Amino acid sequence: MVTFFGAIILLLCGYVFYSKFVERVFVVNDNTPTPAYAKRDNLDFVPMSWWKGNLIQLLNIAGLGPIYGAVAGALYGPVAFVWIVFGCIFAGAVHDYFSGMMSIRHQGAQFPTLVGHYLGKSVKVFINVISLVLMILVAAAFTAGPAQLIAQITPLSFMAALLIIFGYFVLATILPINRIIGRIYPLLGGILLIMAIAIGISLIFSDKQIPNLTFENLHPGELPIWPLLMVTISCGAISGFHSTQSPIVACTMKKETDGRKIFYGAMVIEGVIALIWAAAGMTFFNGTSGLQEALAAGGPSGVVNEISTTLLGTIGGILAIFGVIILPITTGDTALRSSRMILTDVLAKFFKMDNKWKILLVTIPVSIPALFLATIDYTFLWRYVGWTNQVVASVMLWTATMYLLKSHKFHWICGIPALFMTGVVCTYIFFAPEGLSMPYQQSMVIGFSLTLLVTFWYIKQIIKYRRLKIDEPKEHVA
């Protein structure tokens, strides 16, 4: 239990101290009008208070991610606490902060546009495709589960529930952000946090002991910690999906100093939620073997429901059903909204989004494949969400690194986590079943070699921009 409390304290210290350091490196300026005012269109660009932005961001990036992912990651044992804490403070929260603040500096630009500006057009084309694929996969994966549960507890069929959910998705995607998202998301974000805190308090006062830190791999299936843990627990540590969501809230910010509270703050809150559910997963079922059996019997939804109803009684059961239905839906709708905004950026050269029919037209190409994919196996979808998610995270960190290099700022705060995540995804792609399914040792060698090549490229960029910095005064004098 000491490890659990220590992890919570470290996360809070990360927000109090490291977030301020990150903000100083970025250099905020409240005298510059934010896109919410400069480009106000009462659709995507609408000024909102920071606390609303924080809770909307929390719900956008969280949903069931820090619950399901943390429960699955708990199979590895207390080492999951280490990844959540250090991943969140030094990678995930930094990733989210820069994806939001760089969007503000580029007038509300979406993630692929930022990538194109700092990593080149060819990378932008790649990331446009993979971002849209990720959004579609997330919308599909976070719709199938709720639709199945609705079909179980109501007279509605699975397909009827699916169509109702997607009907809501379309409305949330084309209506102004302050109509639905701005009104109900702060409330739902608060409920998500309250649910996690209630579980945490109940767990502490139960007769079960939260295990203390050990770096031993306790996974019953003997799956390796590296790189699988870093992909299994993404929400709560670092998730590329967040880089597609941060620009949504960036378009509503009143001033730049709100960014630390909104982006870094929401990620730390998500880290706390992930810690609580990871602790619940590895404690409630008397170890990782018991957790694996529970997951095999009822899946993550069954695990969440059993923990909630046992620790919180009837209220817990209601919250569990609410969470499994509502929370993923609120992630799916913003995934499609983000897809629509990305496509709008791509198509901006050809026509303006000056009426709701055009907005609806852009929404259809991402809604139809998401609806189709929602009808297939959830676990299959989730495997590919994990892979594409962390590829996007790596690209966003490299984008932020190049932004800092070009600005002659302290680039290491993004560059080091970017290298770490590059190693994760390079190894994972070769080892994972949804990748090339190569032997572990071979995957490690190839993953390390590719990361080494990227490291050489990074060093080359550092040398390049140091020379440019030295030459700048001479050019100015000339």
Side-chain angles (χ1 to χ4, degrees):
M1 195 169 290
V2 173
T3 300
F4 175 68
F5 283 119
I8 297 286
I9 291 169
L10 283 174
L11 275 180
L12 297 178
C13 288
Y15 175 74
V16 173
F17 299 107
Y18 196 67
S19 70
K20 291 181 180 178
F21 173 68
V22 171
E23 185 181 59
R24 285 198 297 271
V25 170
F26 183 82
V27 185
V28 292
N29 180 11
D30 281 345
N31 294 322
T32 303
T34 61
Y37 294 108
K39 295 180 66 176
R40 183 165 187 165
D41 62 1
N42 294 321
L43 174 64
D44 298 314
F45 296 87
V46 182
M48 289 195 294
S49 61
W50 74 264
W51 65 269
K52 276 191 175 182
N54 174 274
L55 289 172
I56 291 170
Q57 175 75 357
L58 175 62
L59 206 60
N60 283 1
I61 66 176
L64 284 177
I67 301 177
Y68 281 11
V71 166
L75 288 170
Y76 293 90
V79 70
F81 293 152
V82 177
W83 166 236
I84 291 170
V85 170
F86 289 96
C88 181
I89 294 173
F90 298 107
V94 174
H95 167 281
D96 291 11
Y97 181 82
F98 274 88
S99 59
M101 297 305 294
M102 288 173 64
S103 176
I104 287 177
R105 289 290 170 86
H106 290 270
Q107 295 300 303
Q110 297 301 300
F111 166 60
T113 301
L114 298 175
V115 172
H117 190 85
Y118 292 99
L119 296 181
K121 292 182 178 179
S122 57
V123 183
K124 180 183 178 181
V125 172
F126 165 76
I127 214 63
N128 258 319
V129 174
I130 199 168
S131 295
L132 289 172
V133 168
L134 176 60
M135 296 302 96
I136 291 168
L137 286 171
V138 167
F142 277 20
T143 304
Q148 288 171 356
L149 186 55
I150 290 172
Q152 291 172 10
I153 63 176
T154 71
L156 292 173
S157 66
F158 170 75
M159 186 54 67
L162 204 60
L163 291 173
I164 290 171
I165 292 171
F166 268 89
Y168 161 74
F169 279 3
V170 172
L171 283 176
T173 302
I174 66 175
L175 286 176
I177 191 168
N178 58 341
R179 287 279 182 88
I180 296 179
I181 294 174
R183 289 180 180 176
I184 67 171
Y185 273 37
L187 173 63
L188 298 177
I191 292 173
L192 171 66
L193 184 57
I194 291 169
M195 180 183 178
I197 292 173
I199 291 291
I201 293 173
S202 300
L203 192 65
I204 290 167
F205 288 99
S206 71
D207 58 353
K208 299 178 182 297
Q209 289 295 314
I210 301 173
N212 285 319
L213 180 61
T214 171
F215 289 98
E216 181 184 357
N217 184 359
L218 300 180
H219 198 293
E222 298 183 351
L223 296 177
I225 292 173
W226 174 275
L228 299 187
L229 177 61
M230 291 75 192
V231 177
T232 302
I233 301 180
S234 54
C235 291
I238 178 171
S239 167
F241 176 71
H242 299 185
S243 65
T244 67
Q245 301 303 292
S246 294
I248 295 176
V249 179
C251 295
T252 70
M253 282 174 51
K254 291 184 175 181
K255 55 184 180 180
E256 289 191 358
T257 47
D258 288 342
R260 185 174 70 91
K261 292 176 282 190
I262 292 173
F263 301 118
Y264 203 105
M267 185 60 205
V268 167
I269 294 172
E270 188 186 47
V272 171
I273 293 171
L275 277 177
I276 291 171
W277 281 101
M282 67 182 73
T283 304
F284 185 83
F285 298 97
N286 301 314
T288 56
S289 296
L291 174 60
Q292 187 180 52
E293 291 175 6
L295 285 169
S301 298
V303 167
V304 170
N305 183 62
E306 187 173 349
I307 292 173
S308 301
T309 52
T310 303
L311 293 179
L312 303 178
T314 304
I315 294 176
I318 294 171
L319 285 174
I321 292 173
F322 171 85
V324 172
I325 293 177
I326 300 297
L327 296 179
I329 291 175
T330 58
T331 300
D333 63 3
T334 51
L336 287 186
R337 188 180 187 93
S338 177
S339 300
R340 189 262 296 165
M341 293 173 76
I342 290 172
L343 279 177
T344 298
D345 270 9
V346 173
L347 300 174
K349 295 180 180 179
F350 304 101
F351 60 92
K352 294 182 179 180
M353 296 294 131
D354 51 6
N355 63 64
K356 289 181 180 178
W357 292 110
K358 289 182 180 179
I359 296 169
L360 179 61
L361 186 65
V362 174
T363 305
I364 291 172
V366 290
S367 297
I368 292 176
L371 178 60
F372 169 74
L373 288 173
T375 62
I376 67 177
D377 181 36
Y378 171 85
T379 55
F380 173 81
L381 289 174
W382 194 246
R383 282 163 48 189
Y384 286 91
V385 168
W387 177 76
T388 54
N389 191 35
Q390 300 305 58
V391 169
V392 169
S394 303
V395 173
M396 179 61 232
L397 284 171
W398 282 120
T399 303
T401 302
M402 291 306 299
Y403 164 79
L404 292 173
L405 271 172
K406 290 184 177 182
S407 303
H408 307 302
K409 296 178 180 178
F410 191 72
H411 54 87
W412 299 106
I413 61 171
C414 291
I416 292 175
L419 280 172
F420 180 87
M421 290 308 298
T422 299
V424 168
V425 296
C426 285
T427 308
Y428 187 87
I429 288 169
F430 287 95
F431 176 65
E434 61 271 25
L436 299 177
S437 296
M438 294 177 64
Y440 183 65
Q441 294 300 328
Q442 278 186 287
S443 302
M444 288 283 286
V445 171
I446 297 172
F448 177 79
S449 300
L450 291 173
T451 306
L452 194 61
L453 288 175
V454 175
T455 303
F456 288 143
W457 169 82
Y458 183 26
I459 293 171
K460 184 178 179 181
Q461 297 305 309
I462 294 171
I463 295 170
K464 171 185 173 181
Y465 285 102
R466 279 182 179 172
R467 287 175 178 169
L468 287 175
K469 186 178 181 180
I470 293 171
D471 293 341
E472 277 177 359
K474 297 177 182 179
E475 293 175 2
H476 181 70
V477 172

